[in-house]
Amino acid sequence: TLDRISDARAWLSAMGGTIASHIPHVSLGYPGSRQATPEDLRRVEQEVQVLLTTRVHDLNQKGDAQWKEFISMYTPSSVVCGSVGPAQAFFERNGTIEKDQTHIRLTGQDAILWAFQGMQEKYSYAFENFYEAYGERHGCKVHALSMTRVFVWSRFRFSRIAGTFNSQILVRENERSPWTVEHLMFTITDFQGVDRIMRNILKDCQCFVLDNSLRESTVGQVRGHTVEDKLSIFDAVKSVGFEYVIVAAFNSQQRVEDAFLPKLKKDRGEDFSKFFAFSEVADKFEDGRFIYGDNNIPAALTKMDTFGVPNVVFEIDLLRGGSNDRNQFGVEHVMQLLTFLLNWHQKWHQKKFKSKGMAFINLRDFPFAILQKAELLLSVVKGLANMPHGIRPIGIMIEEPMGIYMPQELKMWTQRLRDLMDSCSWEAKMPKPRSSERPDGLLLVHVHNNWGLADACQLACLGAGANGIWCSLCEEGSAQGHSCSAVTLANLARMGNSDVTDRYNAQKLAVAARQVTEATTGKYPHDRQAVYGRRAVDSVFDFPGIAGGNIFEFDTDAAGKPNTFNLAEFLGVAEPPVRINELSSPSQIVRRLEHCFGRHSDWTESNATKMKEKMLANMRNDHKEEYTSAIGLAKLFKQAMGFLPHVATQRLARVKDHDAFASTMCHQAHDFFKKVTNGKDWIDYDGWFSLFGIKFFGTPESPQAATAFAIHDLDDNGNISWWELHSLVTWACREYPSEINNFDDIIEILMQHLILPNILRGNTVNAGFSTETVCRKTAAVWMSVFNERDFDELCDKYTDDAVLHVDLGPATLMFATIFHIKGPYFVCRGRERIVQFWRALREKVSALRGFELDSPCTAIVENSSTAILQSKFSCDEFEGWIHGRYYLRQSDGSWKIKADHMELSKVFNNPPANPVNLSHLADAEDAVLEGRTLSDREVRASLFKDANDFKHAFNAQNPEGCADAYGDVTVMRADTPAVADLMKKTFGYENPVVLRDKQSIELFWSRMINDVGLRNMQGYEEVNESWPMTICVLSDNEGLVRSKWRMNAVGGHIHTQRMVRESPGEAWKVAADFFAIYDGYSAESS
């Protein structure tokens, strides 16, 4: 009695009641105890609470030592008991308790340890700590009854299972003994988190698919199926491994099936034994009753006989007689009707096929019937279940035709049907894949998608006892479509369902669903269509947890383990494509470049960073584009880097039409293209303007039109090839299909979404596609082609009479050893011979790098057809400088190299030995070539003298004499990075300084001499001197001069002086002066 009084007082105290304060402490006088003071009892309470919280913490560490400490608190006589409450079904499912068991009682250490370890193994989910209890936030109350006996109350949580410890008694023999649990009583009050029961059911279920792609996808469509469409859909269904297929919905009218089925049987020899056809239960309905009998056989059954379709789906609406008409339309009438039909079907099947046929009953108005005529519906199901096995259908099909009911509603109704079927011993029998086993007791579900609930509803039904689905591979169907097999099966696989991949060819699901969609609509599925849309498997982010990133621990499968399901792998996609957006990392951009175009030396994180910066700049300027497609990504690279590697243009040239719609549009585009090209495979600027530009720009002289042409010109060769237009048309069809009906619409799309936004940004595009940028991009393409060893393409980059001049410098010995080429320079003429040299060099060196703005890489533009580029370049073996890459624009608009004037400045690693004799490629300096009257040596001698005339005039402080070195038509470009601010502040010169007449040039040198005080120019010296000059001879009257130079305060490079004369004996004049100020010096250094 004293024990009970004290326990009651403790319980009341734990509950916070006021009665407890009026019950005095009672000394119970247990053996080994002493009279305790209130302070002693408070100390015991604190000690026990610390002990319990420590045990909770240790238990969460999940180690053997922690389990040993935990279980030591229990004895062979300890008892744990309680009510499982809302977790009952969950425990049943996982075998923790028996069916219908509501309470648990565990006695002794072993049973308690088994239960707790099982809880941790099976049920941990989504929390850092598996077990929580005894803390302040758990409302823990500890009341010491004596120094050796303590009562505890607390809320607890084991993963998602929460409740209360109503009573926990801890005891010890004496004050020095350890505490043990005498008994613990609990109540589970809450079952939180995800529905693990549902997930486990979906994980373990076997999903029977009755495919309806041939019928469902055509219902309500704008375009019906042709025979070829049907064959294409059938092939898609077959590729996935669906064995049970609805091939027709017969009635008295002639349908496509009437031509399709004979083709399937006779031409292809398909096995029809698992094919089904829809049939109404009766073709007539009069006075609230179905009209049936031997003289009223449904037309569909007659056609099944004609076309040899052996199995049937009988469709019935239980509300056909009206929801309130109970007398005329009762269960007896329905059962008599169904019994007659099923009998007739079996007799016919036995007679025609000598075997037992299969039939389903489709309750077409299932949700309405269960709400308005539940008794009738359930009675029909019970009646079917109790039919003789000889005529009983193999299952029931239910349909939610409006898509208006919630998942939990359909789940409840489906479970009611499944329970009824099981209670009548009509249990599901699932046939093994690719076997002749007969299915039975199936409950198949079909849900329409008018309000976006279909997929969730279909999964809910499968979780409630449905054994399969009847649907199309894709969502296309009546009204807003339906829940399809591709999405449902992928969801089951995501839950860990292995039967899906055993039973079906899952890797073909997405391809097959797209094939059915295209056959039905003429277009591919929407990009963001779940599972089988083009972007369904995109990797979007490079951080954990979302759309392709790494999983978090709370992303678990049905068993509660981290979910490693990968949709791309499930669908057989080896490498999920990366979707490029403002959150994409440089590494993702590199992966996408490699995915679209293959590996390439330009696909670096450094370049990807520039691409991302350009993308963000575009968005800040209200310019919205996509960058994931090959064309979109190539365009972004071109915008960011100023060029497009040859490997990208090669891949774009092989772009294929991705669907029938795009193919049609491309045919239209090609017809227009051929009219303009007159049989050629490319159009020049004028042809492009007549096709695209005239509607938008008015005049071919418009600079905006020129910019638009440059954007269309993907490979920067000065014309538009068919492959370039084809790739743009394909891009437009993929990105804006709803806006396109004909080729005129495509032109609008390209202008609206691709061209005009770039032009309106002006500062980015007009400058970005100047002649200088075109030359830099063309040079970058040259480098890409060289690196890829495409020497036929490389040959096409040069003019027939091109010249290559290489100042060997520190590489002289290397070239003599490996190529048998003597220094100090190597000169080679003619593009065929030049490419022989590049081919041999490429075999010895790694990939080249260069031709970027920060190389530095700049160009002097003489006019719209002439430009000279300079750029540093490097590879692993050496580095150097192309001081003069002399470009000429050809009549077809392409830019070709007239001359390369290069310097090798450093050698890092000698290439592999294996000498290759290239001495035959070198021009003899004293030879007089065909068409010339002078040798290179003679031309250099005359040029050397006249080039030095400028130096002499400068050092004489004669700006007029300096200007006299220039021709009447001339251009000067000075890159001034070392003194740009000073030049801007003092004279208003921008960097670069570009001057195009002798008067402005004379003023420039006057300012440098008189205002800046530049003196003592050094340069134009012999090759073996400190400030060497070399000359690339192009002809008797043209040469490229380059020299290092220095004055008292500045220095740099004369990259190229293109010098010309009227004829031998005349003075040489500067047609283009291209120099740079890279160095500034102090007064002392001067």
Side-chain angles (χ1 to χ4, degrees):
T1 303
L2 289 174
D3 282 351
R4 291 177 180 175
I5 292 173
S6 192
D7 284 357
R9 183 192 181 284
W11 183 83
L12 290 168
S13 176
M15 294 300 98
T18 58
I19 300 175
S21 61
H22 299 290
I23 300 178
H25 284 285
V26 179
S27 177
L28 303 179
Y30 289 110
S33 69
R34 60 178 174 82
Q35 186 69 31
T37 66
E39 289 74 17
D40 291 335
L41 296 177
R42 278 193 291 272
R43 178 173 51 79
V44 168
E45 291 167 355
Q46 292 171 357
E47 174 190 334
V48 169
Q49 186 159 10
V50 169
L51 171 67
L52 292 173
T53 54
T54 300
R55 287 290 181 268
V56 168
H57 177 269
D58 291 345
L59 195 60
N60 284 317
Q61 307 310 305
K62 304 179 183 179
D64 291 339
Q66 285 74 27
W67 277 114
K68 187 175 181 181
E69 287 290 329
F70 169 76
I71 203 60
S72 67
M73 293 186 64
Y74 292 85
T75 69
S77 60
S78 296
V79 176
V80 174
C81 59
S83 168
V84 296
Q88 178 183 343
F90 186 49
F91 283 140
E92 285 181 7
R93 175 70 184 172
N94 286 281
T96 304
I97 61 176
E98 299 295 329
K99 186 173 176 59
D100 299 326
Q101 183 179 340
T102 59
H103 288 74
I104 291 177
R105 180 182 176 89
L106 304 168
T107 302
Q109 281 180 320
D110 293 342
I112 295 169
L113 180 62
W114 170 83
F116 275 85
Q117 284 184 326
M119 291 274 285
Q120 186 181 54
E121 180 181 343
K122 294 180 180 179
Y123 312 136
S124 59
Y125 183 79
F127 296 97
E128 181 180 354
N129 296 322
F130 159 71
Y131 178 29
E132 290 184 3
Y134 306 119
E136 184 177 344
R137 69 192 184 93
H138 305 111
C140 180
K141 304 292 183 181
V142 179
H143 185 74
L145 307 178
S146 69
M147 296 297 290
T148 58
R149 189 173 180 83
V150 175
F151 170 91
V152 180
W153 182 97
S154 177
R155 287 191 293 271
F156 72 88
R157 179 182 59 75
F158 284 93
S159 185
R160 297 177 296 113
I161 300 167
T164 57
F165 294 140
N166 307 96
S167 170
Q168 183 175 9
I169 299 296
L170 281 75
V171 298
R172 59 183 177 180
E173 291 184 8
N174 56 59
E175 295 180 30
R176 290 179 298 278
S177 303
W179 291 97
T180 60
V181 177
E182 183 180 87
H183 86 263
L184 186 152
M185 179 178 289
F186 66 86
T187 300
I188 295 176
T189 59
D190 203 1
F191 185 61
Q192 302 170 335
V194 299
D195 189 345
R196 190 72 56 75
I197 297 174
M198 170 73 78
R199 288 170 179 257
N200 273 302
I201 292 173
L202 296 177
K203 169 180 171 290
D204 296 336
C205 76
Q206 294 177 308
C207 185
F208 183 97
V209 175
L210 177 59
D211 183 79
N212 195 30
S213 300
L214 288 162
R215 285 302 309 160
E216 183 69 34
S217 57
T218 195
V219 176
Q221 291 293 337
V222 176
R223 301 177 180 89
H225 289 167
T226 64
V227 173
E228 289 304 315
D229 292 334
K230 294 281 188 188
L231 291 170
S232 175
I233 292 171
F234 179 80
D235 290 339
V237 171
K238 193 174 179 180
S239 71
V240 178
F242 292 159
E243 300 177 69
Y244 301 86
V245 182
I246 299 172
V247 294
F250 291 125
N251 59 23
S252 58
Q253 296 176 327
Q254 288 279 325
R255 285 184 168 176
V256 179
E257 288 93 332
D258 296 10
F260 160 67
L261 290 173
K263 203 171 187 67
L264 204 61
K265 194 172 191 67
K266 294 179 182 178
D267 295 356
R268 299 222 184 165
E270 294 290 345
D271 178 9
F272 275 37
S273 63
K274 295 180 181 179
F275 290 174
F276 288 75
F278 284 115
S279 172
E280 294 291 334
V281 290
D283 290 338
K284 295 180 181 179
F285 186 81
E286 297 176 359
D287 299 325
R289 299 175 72 83
F290 294 103
I291 307 301
Y292 66 93
D294 291 331
N295 296 325
N296 290 285
I297 301 298
L301 295 181
T302 304
K303 281 200 170 184
M304 285 172 58
D305 181 52
T306 302
F307 293 105
V309 180
N311 308 302
V312 64
V313 176
F314 287 118
E315 298 197 283
I316 186 170
D317 297 310
L318 294 179
L319 293 184
R320 181 73 177 269
S323 60
N324 297 316
D325 192 346
R326 296 177 181 272
N327 296 323
Q328 291 183 324
F329 195 81
V331 64
E332 183 179 351
H333 174 65
V334 174
M335 291 311 302
Q336 288 174 350
L337 165 70
L338 295 178
T339 300
F340 170 81
L341 292 171
L342 292 166
N343 255 315
W344 187 96
H345 174 251
Q346 286 300 338
K347 289 178 182 178
W348 166 79
H349 196 283
Q350 189 65 43
K351 180 179 179 181
K352 187 174 182 71
F353 300 103
K354 311 302 181 189
S355 62
K356 190 176 180 181
M358 294 182 284
F360 280 103
I361 305 299
N362 179 27
L363 304 177
R364 196 160 47 189
D365 58 351
F366 167 68
F368 314 122
I370 203 167
L371 289 173
Q372 299 183 43
K373 282 195 173 183
E375 184 179 351
L376 171 63
L377 182 144
L378 296 174
S379 297
V380 168
V381 172
K382 187 174 181 178
L384 291 169
N386 290 324
M387 276 185 172
H389 287 197
I391 65 168
R392 187 172 68 180
I394 63 171
I396 290 174
M397 293 159 52
I398 58 176
E399 180 173 356
E400 208 288 63
M402 301 301 291
I404 58 176
Y405 293 102
M406 302 294 288
Q408 59 268 34
E409 294 165 345
L410 282 171
K411 175 185 175 183
M412 176 176 59
W413 302 332
T414 302
Q415 187 170 356
R416 181 70 185 91
L417 257 63
R418 182 74 266 169
D419 289 345
L420 178 59
M421 293 170 71
D422 290 347
S423 69
C424 296
S425 299
W426 198 17
E427 295 176 340
K429 179 183 177 183
M430 186 74 65
K432 293 179 181 178
R434 297 164 292 281
S435 74
S436 59
E437 293 180 355
R438 179 183 174 85
D440 194 25
L442 301 181
L443 177 59
L444 309 186
V445 63
H446 175 89
V447 185
H448 283 230
N449 196 38
N450 292 9
W451 298 99
L453 299 170
D455 291 323
C457 286
Q458 190 143 292
L459 289 172
C461 292
L462 289 171
N467 312 106
I469 52 180
W470 63 280
C471 53
S472 172
L473 266 163
C474 69
E475 289 189 356
E476 295 299 326
S478 177
Q480 299 300 313
H482 71 304
S483 181
C484 64
S485 56
V487 175
T488 299
L489 294 178
N491 266 304
L492 293 177
R494 187 173 65 86
M495 297 296 168
N497 188 310
S498 60
D499 184 70
V500 167
T501 51
D502 293 340
R503 192 173 292 273
Y504 308 114
N505 185 2
Q507 294 191 344
K508 293 290 187 180
L509 269 177
V511 175
R514 294 186 197 118
Q515 188 172 331
V516 176
T517 303
E518 186 178 0
T520 301
T521 67
K523 299 180 182 180
Y524 254 29
H526 193 283
D527 286 353
R528 287 179 294 280
Q529 164 64 48
V531 176
Y532 59 90
R534 187 167 60 93
R535 295 180 179 172
V537 296
D538 283 4
S539 174
V540 181
F541 303 119
D542 214 14
F543 48 80
I546 304 175
N550 297 324
I551 58 171
F552 284 121
E553 287 190 1
F554 61 70
D555 182 16
T556 68
D557 61 15
K561 301 193 182 298
N563 192 347
T564 58
F565 177 78
N566 183 295
L567 179 61
E569 183 179 325
F570 173 71
L571 297 175
V573 179
E575 184 179 356
V578 177
R579 187 186 307 171
I580 302 303
N581 60 86
E582 69 270 22
L583 296 178
S584 298
S585 66
S587 65
Q588 283 186 298
I589 296 174
V590 170
R591 291 207 310 272
R592 184 59 181 162
L593 285 165
E594 291 176 346
H595 186 266
C596 289
F597 307 116
R599 293 186 178 275
H600 190 267
S601 58
D602 282 319
W603 311 151
T604 64
E605 291 202 10
S606 173
N607 289 347
T609 299
K610 295 176 183 177
M611 293 170 69
K612 184 171 180 179
E613 290 169 355
K614 172 59 68 177
M615 184 192 339
L616 295 173
N618 288 349
M619 287 187 283
R620 287 194 299 270
N621 292 326
D622 294 328
H623 180 49
K624 184 176 183 180
E625 292 188 43
E626 69 82 29
Y627 302 108
T628 301
S629 68
I631 186 70
L633 194 64
K635 196 155 59 66
L636 178 62
F637 186 94
K638 187 176 176 183
Q639 285 181 346
M641 304 306 301
F643 69 94
L644 189 61
H646 182 61
V647 65
T649 59
Q650 282 184 320
R651 292 292 180 94
L652 290 173
R654 297 197 294 268
V655 168
K656 295 181 179 179
D657 307 336
H658 67 277
D659 59 20
F661 170 69
S663 180
T664 300
M665 291 300 104
C666 286
H667 281 306
Q668 288 189 24
H670 200 219
D671 289 342
F672 280 98
F673 186 81
K674 287 189 294 185
K675 289 178 184 177
V676 175
T677 60
N678 295 319
K680 299 192 297 290
D681 196 42
W682 55 271
I683 52 176
D684 57 14
Y685 177 77
D686 291 336
W688 171 88
F689 188 84
S690 68
L691 188 61
F692 283 94
I694 193 167
K695 181 177 180 180
F696 296 91
F697 303 110
T699 171
E701 305 302 320
S702 165
Q704 287 81 12
T707 298
F709 177 79
I711 297 171
H712 268 187
D713 185 10
L714 297 175
D715 61 0
D716 300 311
N717 67 350
N719 56 52
I720 309 295
S721 300
W722 163 243
W723 72 261
E724 290 171 289
L725 181 57
H726 177 263
S727 61
L728 292 173
V729 171
T730 303
W731 171 82
C733 291
R734 182 172 53 244
E735 297 301 322
Y736 303 97
S738 62
E739 300 178 32
I740 297 174
N741 293 307
N742 51 49
F743 183 58
D744 287 339
D745 294 337
I746 289 176
I747 294 176
E748 293 278 355
I749 292 294
L750 293 177
M751 285 297 174
Q752 178 183 348
H753 296 287
L754 182 66
I755 306 302
L756 296 179
N758 284 288
I759 292 175
L760 292 174
R761 284 185 292 145
N763 61 323
T764 303
V765 175
N766 292 335
F769 288 92
S770 64
T771 300
E772 176 180 347
T773 303
V774 170
C775 289
R776 189 167 61 251
K777 289 188 291 182
T778 306
V781 171
W782 177 94
M783 184 175 65
S784 175
V785 170
F786 172 82
N787 289 337
E788 294 165 15
R789 295 180 168 87
D790 188 347
F791 297 108
D792 290 338
E793 181 71 17
L794 194 73
C795 187
D796 193 51
K797 302 298 181 187
Y798 289 88
T799 62
D800 290 336
D801 58 347
V803 179
L804 172 66
H805 177 117
V806 185
D807 295 325
L808 300 177
T812 300
L813 180 60
M814 180 184 79
F815 268 65
T817 304
I818 296 176
F819 298 122
H820 296 232
I821 292 174
K822 297 179 181 180
Y825 43 75
F826 164 66
V827 177
C828 178
R829 281 184 165 82
R831 65 180 183 179
E832 300 291 345
R833 300 173 72 199
I834 290 172
V835 169
Q836 287 184 54
F837 167 76
W838 288 126
R839 185 192 300 270
L841 182 68
R842 184 65 182 92
E843 294 304 316
K844 303 294 185 183
V845 302
S846 59
L848 290 182
R849 301 174 291 273
F851 302 109
E852 298 181 7
L853 280 172
D854 54 2
S855 293
C857 179
T858 54
I860 182 171
V861 179
E862 295 188 40
N863 51 54
S864 61
S865 299
T866 308
I868 301 173
L869 173 141
Q870 68 80 22
S871 176
K872 280 186 176 180
F873 67 90
S874 65
C875 59
D876 293 343
E877 292 73 23
F878 53 74
E879 71 177 23
W881 212 316
I882 293 182
H883 289 289
R885 171 159 284 183
Y886 181 16
Y887 274 114
L888 296 178
R889 187 180 179 114
Q890 307 302 298
S891 59
D892 64 0
S894 64
W895 289 84
K896 295 196 175 184
I897 302 168
K898 171 72 173 175
D900 269 337
H901 191 185
M902 304 169 57
E903 172 196 11
L904 300 181
S905 54
K906 286 184 182 178
V907 175
F908 304 121
N909 303 295
N910 284 326
N914 302 325
V916 178
N917 191 344
L918 299 182
S919 60
H920 63 284
L921 299 180
D923 282 349
E925 193 170 23
D926 292 319
V928 178
L929 302 177
E930 184 179 354
R932 289 177 53 183
T933 59
L934 300 174
S935 67
D936 280 3
R937 187 188 300 276
E938 291 170 319
V939 173
R940 285 196 184 94
S942 64
L943 245 175
F944 185 87
K945 174 185 176 299
D946 286 8
N948 269 280
D949 285 346
F950 173 88
K951 180 176 70 173
H952 298 324
F954 182 88
N955 287 338
Q957 308 295 288
N958 179 3
E960 185 178 353
C962 292
D964 193 50
Y966 293 82
D968 292 333
V969 178
T970 190
V971 59
M972 185 197 87
R973 170 172 174 145
D975 292 336
T976 61
V979 293
D981 292 341
L982 179 64
M983 298 285 274
K984 171 75 173 176
K985 181 178 179 181
T986 308
F987 305 112
Y989 287 134
E990 299 287 349
N991 181 29
V993 180
V994 179
L995 306 174
R996 292 189 175 276
D997 60 81
K998 292 179 68 170
Q999 183 179 357
S1000 299
I1001 293 172
E1002 181 180 341
L1003 175 61
F1004 175 86
W1005 290 118
S1006 175
R1007 286 172 168 173
M1008 298 303 105
I1009 294 169
N1010 299 316
D1011 298 338
V1012 178
L1014 296 182
R1015 302 283 187 275
N1016 189 25
M1017 179 180 182
Q1018 300 173 71
Y1020 299 112
E1021 297 176 353
E1022 295 288 352
V1023 172
N1024 57 355
E1025 298 186 60
S1026 299
W1027 308 97
M1029 169 179 67
T1030 62
I1031 300 169
C1032 172
V1033 177
L1034 303 181
S1035 69
D1036 290 349
N1037 303 307
E1038 184 178 23
L1040 305 180
V1041 175
R1042 75 102 182 159
S1043 177
K1044 288 188 69 174
W1045 64 274
R1046 161 143 189 201
M1047 298 174 183
N1048 60 321
V1050 293
H1053 263 100
I1054 298 169
H1055 290 300
T1056 295
Q1057 281 184 330
R1058 189 172 77 85
M1059 301 191 71
V1060 297
R1061 62 182 178 180
E1062 292 294 327
S1063 60
E1066 299 288 332
W1068 289 92
K1069 296 294 183 181
V1070 178
D1073 187 12
F1074 187 13
F1075 68 93
I1077 302 173
Y1078 293 125
D1079 307 307
Y1081 305 104
S1082 64
E1084 290 79 2
S1085 66
S1086 66

